[in-house]
Amino acid sequence: MFRAALVDPQIARASRGLWGDAARRLRRNRPALVGLFCIVLFALAAILAPVISPFDPYAMNGSSLDAPSLTHLFGTDLLGRDIFSRVLYGAQISLFVGVGAVVLALVIGGVLGAIAGGFGGRIDGVIMRATDVFLSIPSILLAIGIVTALGRGMVQLMFAIAVSYAPTFARLLRGSLLALREADYVVAARTIGASRMRILVRHMLPNALTPLIVQATLVLATAIIDIAGLGFLGLGPADPRTPEWGTMLVDARRFMQTAPHIVVFIGGAIVISAIGFNLLGDGLRESLDPKLKR
Amino acid sequence: MGRYIVRRLLAAIPVLIGLSILLFAYIRILPGDPCVAILGQHRTPEACAALRENLGLDLPLWQQYISYLLKTISGDLGASVVNSQPFVAEFLTRFPGTIELTIGALIFSIGVGIPLGRLAARKVGGWLDGLITGVSLFGVSIPVFVLGLALVVIFGVILGWLPTQGRIDARARFDATSGILLVDTLFAGRLDLFVDVVRHLILPSIALGSIPLAIITRITRASVIEVANEDYVRTARSKGLKEKTVDNRHVMRNAWLPVTTVVGLQVGGLLGGAVLTETVFVWNGVGRWVVDAIENHDYPIVQSTILVFAVIFLIVNLIVDVGYALLNPKIRYQ
Amino acid sequence: MSDQHLLEVRDLVVRFRTHDGAVHAVNGVSFDLAAGETLGVAGESGCGKSVTNLAIVGLLPKPAGRVEGGSVKLEGRELTTLKEEELRQVRGSEIAMIFQDPMTSLNPVLRIEEQLIETIQAHREVTKEAARTRAIELLTAVGVANPESRLRSYPHEFSGGMRQRVMIAMALALEPRVLIADEPTTALDVTIQAQVLDLLRRLTEERGTATILVTHDLGVLAGMADRVNVMYAGAVIESGTTDDLFANPRHPYTVGLLRSIPRLDGETGGKLVPIEGRPPDLIDAPVGCSFYARCAWRTDRCATETPALLPIDGGKGPIVTSGPAATHVAACFNPVAPEEVAEGRPLRRSGGATR
Ligand SMILES: Nc1ncnc2c1ncn2[C@@H]1O[C@H](COP(=O)(O)OP(=O)(O)O)[C@@H](O)[C@H]1O
Ligand code: SF4
Ligand SMILES: [Mg+2]
């Protein structure tokens, strides 16, 4: 206890300094702020969907395939449902499934990566070969495999996406942990006899998290795109009436010639949220690693 | 070099075994009675019996796995439960379409991405660099199928410049031996059809190639910037070499290295993206076949497609790594 | 002055535009180089030695670095205003360079052969075979054993010393009039350093190549250079023949530099004394003497006025800028007196003595 405390405050200071500096740099990074704005827009749409939606996303509120108007900002779909309301509720689903999947992937990948990088040896070899297996399968096919095996549904979708990202997180964390094994303060902690577990949890993990956070932000963009992709392939939520963006695009596609605006609105929503996470992720990476900044 | 290749091949064995276990498990974790789960509406008592026999469902699990492994190695990748067509035969008729699309996308993404990346690197911090960075950001942020649909609307529906469905004019009649139409039309001496195939290929290649394009642009830019600051580039200039020589020989020969690795890694994404692209462009390839298989709950098809795509990915990356070693003398001599 | 020098640098000014402001890297450097002469350039790292050299051959890092004033003349021909293509023809063939780190200065993915041959072919219309024969001659000249087979090697297959020999071979490939060697041995082991310096001296003497030999280690220059320029904060602050400078250093900074190195002439009594403090930040344009903050001889005048580079004996007769009779000049209001050199501090009451 006492001995480890000699080392700890230093790390705490170092990491607070890192994040403080990063926050300052981030505030000056225009693209990252634009990204943050997109994300806030996306999150507000998702959270406030029940409040700001003018119509019930499941109910028929107009005639079929109305053009955009003041009543129906984005027009209506084949069944006369308000597309604006459906896009808002779609944000809710993407946010919920996307964040859920990435958090789950972080947990699975984090645990595996921590074991592999923290302990090394044979267990490391086994985990790394396992990630090789998963990484050899194109991620959308892996997700397809999982959803077809488990059946359609939001939770299955979340799980499928999480499994396809977890290996990347595992490798990333393992890589940083291996690099940190030789860091001065870790060696110092080891020489004063701190336990392996303690070194891993108190000294190495906090410092290895940075690249993981950056990657998680970037992967959120991919997650939103992949969720829509699975929906587009008919592997979205179990109920096909659910206002999931990809599922909605299946219908929209059929009327692309007569009502192309539907594709534009739904596609636009996907692109804006993905751009948001990509910009913020890049900005975070630059702010956390000043060397990258040119 | 030979030892390096052997080592890489040996390293692939555990991955292949892991892959086979995963895919073996795939068919067996389908919920409920396997006969119902796999055959679905196509089940008859005879079909059920045949399936049980085929998968060896009455044997202990490890024997089932060994039998799956042996069958797979011998090239028996199962059959469709819908029409009992063997996987391999059908796959071979579909795969040329996917190869053509993937190669089209690769040509587009490499052919455009590398020059863009070099251009951005040369103008670091300028407006052109900003524009290129913005385009590549857009490229990774737009789903393949959304971009595909947008291209269909703009270039197919509104402008009417390019065909948006299929691989070739449906009325075309000629001898398609290899299934790769770019080659077949040329061999048949039908330049008109070759042009038609190229026109069909343009929009799907752009849609599928957008993500690799963005990634290749970024990595090329970063790599060129890094190499351009190396001491040996300054040496090259101090020797009075022409700027073009400095660029092509001294900068690019080194900047290639990370780019090749990244290109190899894109192949997985391209094969996956082909599933969506083929759906949007009604493209006759493995991807659309898989989507049909999903709809028909034709699980053995899904299973074996995943296997084959994963193996292709591993092979391509093996080739890329060997190529990397050939480009990089430091590795070559180890 | 009277007759033309091989290389004439006048009032050279180089700035870098950076996010934090303009870096005043070189602030009015002037010097001459006569044919066959070796000019040593010494000074702590960051004082503008490399930037001066890069500016001479037009290789400043773009777009940040710019020549903002002054002139560089090679045999009377102005280089700073040359077109890129004309300058390219000068580089490597008339002015060649060797850089500090042989580990990173050769291209790792190209065989030595390619790197030598391309240099020759960039300036001469010769066949690959002829260029190859020349490359073998060059490698033999710099002492690479089995040159024919070594041509096929990649840089990483050579040791550091051998790589620097290859760099020398490459630099001398076209018999340049001027060779700029920027810290050619700094990255090498001490024993290898001596060998490489020997080689360099022998080859440049044989060929009559005028050389600018840059180092942050004055000791290296003792046996190598005819004359020495001492640089500080982007300016030459003392210059003279090597003998004059070592025997009679007058600028406090030169004295500090000399005291911070082991003497090669066997005088080992004194211990090594590093100069205290750091060179000034070149972001701000200097006011007064740039050495003021670290100088023990300073007076109030030094804080506001900038000392000019003037003859140490008060300026009788014309200033000679090259050759064995070069005038000893220093930029200091209160030059160090001979008896103060060994002490390394002023032995007078209040700094300022009249000059
Ligand atoms: N690319 C650059 N951008 C900004 N400043 C630079 C650059 N290169 C050199 N400088 C600055 O110019 C000054 C002189 O550097 P240099 O000539 O390399 O010193 P040295 O005497 O060690 O060779 C230094 O203060 C350095 O910070
Ligand atoms: S005495 Fe004055 S002029 Fe001379 S070096 Fe010192 S500060 Fe500069
Ligand atoms: Mg230098």
Side-chain angles (χ1 to χ4, degrees), chain C residues 214-286:
Chain C
V214 175
T215 172
H216 63 261
D217 179 359
L218 258 179
V220 165
L221 298 180
M224 294 283 299
D226 303 316
R227 290 189 296 120
V228 175
N229 281 350
V230 180
M231 285 187 70
Y232 188 76
V236 176
I237 50 90
E238 183 160 9
S239 173
T241 62
T242 312
D243 292 343
D244 279 350
L245 209 92
F246 275 75
N248 188 18
R250 303 307 301 274
H251 196 285
Y253 179 64
T254 311
V255 171
L257 270 188
L258 283 169
R259 284 168 54 80
S260 70
I261 56 160
R263 293 294 295 262
L264 291 182
D265 54 14
E267 204 179 292
T268 47
K271 51 183 182 335
L272 304 183
V273 197
I275 310 175
E276 273 174 48
R278 313 179 123 268
D281 190 351
L282 297 178
I283 293 272
D284 313 305

Side-chain angles (χ1 to χ4, degrees), chain C residues 16 18 23 25 43-52 61 64 182-183 282:
Chain C
F16 287 94
T18 68
V23 177
E44 285 166 296
S45 104
C47 67
K49 306 183 296 291
S50 301
V51 171
T52 305
D182 193 342
E183 314 229 14
L282 297 178

Side-chain angles (χ1 to χ4, degrees), chain B residues 230-232 234-235 237-243 245 249-250 253-254 257 327-330 332-333, chain C residues 54 59 88 91-92 97 99 104-110 114-115 118-119 122-123 154 156 167 170:
Chain B
E230 294 284 353
D231 288 350
Y232 53 77
R234 188 183 53 188
T235 306
R237 289 214 172 86
S238 80
K239 298 195 297 189
L241 301 187
K242 295 214 167 74
E243 197 53 26
T245 315
R249 190 177 297 158
H250 289 266
R253 279 235 210 144
N254 286 279
L257 295 172
L327 279 172
N328 190 345
K330 273 195 199 174
R332 202 189 312 167
Y333 283 88
Chain C
L54 291 173
L59 282 180
R88 177 189 78 71
R91 287 198 288 260
M97 300 186 86
F99 297 103
T104 56
S105 294
L106 288 167
N107 193 324
V109 303
L110 301 179
E114 290 170 88
Q115 305 193 47
E118 70 176 1
T119 314
H123 301 283
Y154 288 92
H156 70 269
M167 281 294 292
M170 215 152 74

Side-chain angles (χ1 to χ4, degrees), chain B residues 80-127:
Chain B
S80 160
V81 297
V82 177
N83 55 18
S84 308
Q85 272 281 325
F87 172 87
V88 175
E90 181 77 15
F91 182 85
L92 289 179
T93 68
R94 301 274 190 159
F95 193 45
T98 303
I99 293 182
E100 203 156 72
L101 175 59
T102 310
I103 288 177
L106 265 180
I107 291 174
F108 167 70
S109 54
I110 295 174
V112 178
I114 289 179
L116 277 189
R118 290 177 72 169
L119 201 59
R122 196 165 312 142
K123 311 270 172 185
V124 169
W127 64 269

